[in-house]
């Protein structure tokens, strides 16, 4: 996509591969290319995408899910067996975990190229302190606690995404 697009690219639900090696996450080389393209990496909040130990565990679970589906042929039975095998996830990360990903993307690509892609409507667990969109002020507070300035914080919270969406509309017309 980066080799052919004339518009900025948006990785809408991805985090930093360097921090949690999941295939959905963006490697540093690609973060740099998205930044050079004027695009934005939208950090996802799903614990298996932001915590390294859950990233590997989720890959194992996806493989087991495929095998169980072939064996059992019933989604509910597969879900029940996976729950029995994997049990409850105790550590789902925190606001700090998400801000670690934000800061990594910003270090590699710049503060103009990172945003939020929570995926609240598609995930079954969330980091502590980010239970829903009403908790976004927790991200703001953590960024400011880490000495982010107001301008860059506003970019992360939405201005970068709006800039890219506007640029894509311009390119389309």
């Amino acid at each position: 996509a980066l080799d052919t697009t004339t518009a900025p690219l948006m990785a809408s639900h991805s985090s930093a591969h360097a921090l949690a090696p999941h295939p959905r996450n963006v490697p540093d080389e690609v973060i740099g290319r998205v930044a050079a393209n004027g695009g934005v990496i939208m950090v996802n909040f799903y614990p298996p995408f932001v915590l390294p130990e859950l990233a590997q565990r989720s890959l194992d679970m996806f493989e087991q899910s495929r095998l169980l589906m072939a064996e059992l042929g019933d989604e509910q039975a597969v879900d029940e067996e996976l729950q029995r095998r994997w049990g409850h996830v105790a550590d789902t990360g925190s606001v700090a975990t998400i801000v670690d990903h934000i800061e990594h993307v910003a270090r590699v690509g710049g503060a103009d190229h990172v945003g939020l892609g929570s995926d609240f409507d598609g995930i079954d667990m969330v980091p502590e302190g980010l239970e829903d969109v009403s908790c976004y002020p927790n991200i703001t507070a953590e960024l400011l606690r880490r000495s982010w300035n107001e301008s860059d914080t506003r970019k992360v919270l939405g201005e970068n995404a709006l800039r890219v969406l506007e640029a894509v509309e311009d390119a389309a017309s």
Side-chain angles (χ1 to χ4, degrees):
L2 284 164
D3 289 339
T4 61
T5 187
T6 59
L9 185 133
M10 178 182 283
S12 63
H13 294 81
S14 303
S15 298
H17 190 273
L19 300 184
H22 191 283
R24 286 264 312 250
N25 291 341
V26 183
D28 288 356
E29 175 188 331
V30 177
I31 292 171
R33 290 191 66 203
V34 169
N37 159 269
V40 63
I41 307 293
M42 308 289 286
V43 173
N44 189 288
F45 297 0
Y46 190 46
F49 298 160
V50 297
L51 293 170
E53 59 279 5
L54 290 183
Q56 183 57 53
R57 183 174 168 181
S58 74
L59 294 176
D60 295 342
M61 192 170 7
F62 288 134
E63 179 60 25
Q64 285 192 17
S65 177
R66 283 190 288 276
L67 294 171
L68 285 168
M69 187 55 119
E71 177 187 330
L72 302 173
D74 175 11
E75 284 187 42
Q76 183 175 346
V78 169
D79 288 345
E80 290 170 2
E81 178 59 17
L82 287 173
Q83 180 63 29
R84 186 190 69 71
R85 289 182 186 185
W86 293 97
H88 175 72
V89 173
D91 180 14
T92 58
S94 65
V95 174
T97 307
I98 301 308
V99 174
D100 289 344
H101 281 264
I102 291 167
E103 287 193 315
H104 182 84
V105 173
R107 268 192 306 279
V108 174
D112 291 338
H113 304 287
V114 61
L116 305 177
S118 66
D119 204 12
F120 281 133
D121 64 341
I123 57 178
D124 58 3
M125 66 178 88
V126 294
E128 184 178 336
L130 288 172
E131 289 75 18
D132 58 44
V133 72
S134 72
C135 298
Y136 271 30
N138 296 337
I139 296 170
T140 304
E142 182 66 12
L143 288 168
L144 295 174
R145 188 189 70 73
R146 294 184 188 197
S147 300
W148 277 57
N149 64 49
E150 181 181 344
S151 174
D152 286 344
T153 299
R154 293 173 61 93
K155 290 175 186 179
V156 169
L157 295 175
E159 289 177 357
N160 288 336
L162 291 173
R163 174 186 49 79
V164 169
L165 291 172
E166 289 172 6
V168 170
E169 287 178 354
D170 290 346
S173 60

